[in-house]
Amino acid sequence: MITSGPMMGSYCPVSYVVHGRGGHSSVPEKACDPLIPAMEIHKAHRELISSYKSQGLNVTSWLPNFHSGTVANVIPDTTHVEGSFRSLSLGVLETFSAEFTARATEIAAEHKCHVDVSIRENYPILINTPAETEILRKIAQKVLGDDNVVSEGVPVYAGEDFAYYTQKVPGAFIFLASGRIGTSEDPMLHRSNYNFNDDLIPIASQLWFELVVDRLGLVIQ
């Protein structure tokens, strides 16, 4: 799978820590439970992402990790929440960072708490340049066949450090599908039972060989 333009999304870790005031659960009125504003901030985050999508922006974000307290009878001092923000649209990260931080700060203050928000860009959007995309596409078609080189399924929101290369020099990134479709042995990448498809090794090796031959102008006897 390959396409010109955005190929993979930016990856930005997102986290926030709500600071309240801990206490015993028998006298909750003497504490300031950070979990309550943390949940409201989480809801506000979902609403913000939905508003971006309604504007036609290509973004996704999820905050799946919640950590608050360790025992049943103690209200904790802090609640930690973390996840990621991903985008295929340039310039959205700055807007999201400002708007989400402002909303989180407002919600925390309403509950007499305060919040620390961290949003940083780990990987930028991976953008395939047109000329290099066509070079790689033609070589892939030579090795794999025209019908096996498609643009469906991309771009994706997953991040990739190759994005830093294409910020500096023209380049292109391609996916070589390794799934065993139609079998019970096709777990998704990063699943605990993922098993690499070794049948792909000679095919991938041939693709990179043909790419080197083409780029260096070699004549193979």
Side-chain angles (χ1 to χ4, degrees):
M1 297 182 291
I2 188 171
T3 190
S4 181
M7 179 72 177
M8 300 183 71
S10 62
Y11 166 63
C12 311
V14 177
S15 65
Y16 62 90
V17 181
V18 179
H19 301 267
R21 184 175 65 254
H24 199 276
S25 61
S26 64
V27 281
E29 67 277 6
K30 294 183 178 181
C32 184
D33 189 352
L35 180 58
I36 297 173
M39 290 189 295
E40 290 190 18
I41 292 171
H42 194 282
K43 180 175 181 290
H45 161 266
R46 296 305 312 152
E47 293 170 348
L48 185 59
I49 296 303
S50 294
S51 73
Y52 292 158
K53 289 179 176 293
S54 68
Q55 297 171 43
L57 298 175
N58 295 312
V59 301
T60 190
S61 183
W62 205 254
L63 305 176
N65 294 333
F66 246 87
H67 305 277
S68 189
T70 56
V71 293
N73 63 336
V74 176
I75 296 170
D77 288 317
T78 60
T79 296
H80 300 245
V81 182
E82 61 182 356
S84 64
F85 174 84
R86 302 168 186 269
S87 175
L88 292 163
S89 299
L90 293 171
V92 184
L93 174 61
E94 293 78 8
T95 301
F96 167 73
S97 181
E99 294 184 347
F100 177 65
T101 300
R103 186 70 183 110
T105 301
E106 179 183 332
I107 292 172
E110 290 173 354
H111 292 271
K112 298 180 180 180
C113 297
H114 72 275
V115 63
D116 295 323
V117 178
S118 174
I119 301 172
R120 55 189 174 85
E121 184 178 68
N122 263 23
Y123 301 118
I125 300 172
L126 195 165
I127 298 178
N128 281 354
T129 48
E132 286 66 33
T133 299
E134 287 310 305
I135 291 169
L136 188 50
R137 188 195 308 275
K138 289 179 181 178
I139 293 172
Q141 289 172 335
K142 177 181 177 181
V143 174
L144 304 171
D146 291 355
D147 293 341
N148 293 319
V149 181
V150 298
S151 297
E152 291 80 7
V154 288
V156 298
Y157 283 111
E160 168 58 47
D161 53 10
F162 187 74
Y164 285 109
Y165 287 92
T166 56
Q167 280 190 330
K168 303 295 183 181
V169 296
F173 189 93
I174 191 171
F175 284 120
L176 292 177
S178 63
R180 301 176 179 87
I181 298 175
T183 75
S184 60
E185 299 182 1
D186 190 32
M188 184 179 181
L189 181 65
H190 295 315
R191 287 275 299 274
S192 60
N193 60 338
Y194 175 75
N195 182 21
F196 182 77
N197 186 352
D198 292 341
D199 293 339
L200 182 64
I201 294 174
I203 299 172
S205 298
Q206 183 66 29
L207 175 62
W208 301 130
F209 173 78
E210 295 291 347
L211 179 61
V212 171
V213 168
D214 180 84
R215 293 294 81 205
L216 297 182
L218 301 177
V219 177
I220 306 301
Q221 299 295 333

